Amino acid sequence: FGAALGEAGFGGAVVVRRANHLARLVSSFENRLREWGVAKDDAGRNRSDVAKRALDFFADPIRTIEWEAAYLERGAAAAKAAGVSLTEEDFVDVVRAPCAAVGRALALLGDGPWPECVEKHSHKAASRRDAGLSGRIGPAAAARVEAALA
């Protein structure tokens, strides 16, 4: 993808890094639940079909995390090699101040005029951050993740 950016004439791109890879993986699963129409409550999270999907999704969490990190690095390296200027943002900073992050990204493109930035935080809509790992991905998948991290 990084090389394709250069080939398509893109002069700049933003790389958003998230230091907590497990949090990214859990958040990604929660977003899938939302796409699948699963209720955000315990009953929705504890359905057998959801439990099976969770076990499939978290089949090898360490390998998935390592693969995603390597994939991002390869893409960034390919983009740089293709002459694309990259700016890197930390996920926490993007979430905390999205318009500031957008401003830094737009600075790569030069002078505007740019439309006014309006902050929205819809990425949190599917999450149950207060529910713990088991409450977010189900007990069986949580046990698998915990065993992989042990």
Side-chain angles (χ1 to χ4, degrees), residues 78-142:
K80 286 179 185 176
V84 177
S85 296
L86 297 180
T87 185
E88 296 195 12
E89 294 284 342
D90 182 84
F91 176 80
V92 173
D93 294 335
V94 172
V95 172
R96 186 178 302 131
C99 286
V102 167
R104 289 187 295 274
L106 290 175
L108 284 175
L109 302 175
D111 295 329
W114 307 113
E116 180 181 347
C117 181
V118 178
E119 293 185 10
K120 294 185 179 184
H121 296 277
S122 64
H123 81 282
K124 295 180 182 178
S127 182
R128 294 179 54 188
R129 286 174 171 73
D130 61 331
L133 186 60
S134 182
R136 294 177 75 181
I137 67 174

Side-chain angles (χ1 to χ4, degrees), residues 1-7 74-76 78-80 82 84:
F1 182 74
L5 289 172
E7 292 168 10
R74 283 194 312 271
K80 286 179 185 176
V84 177

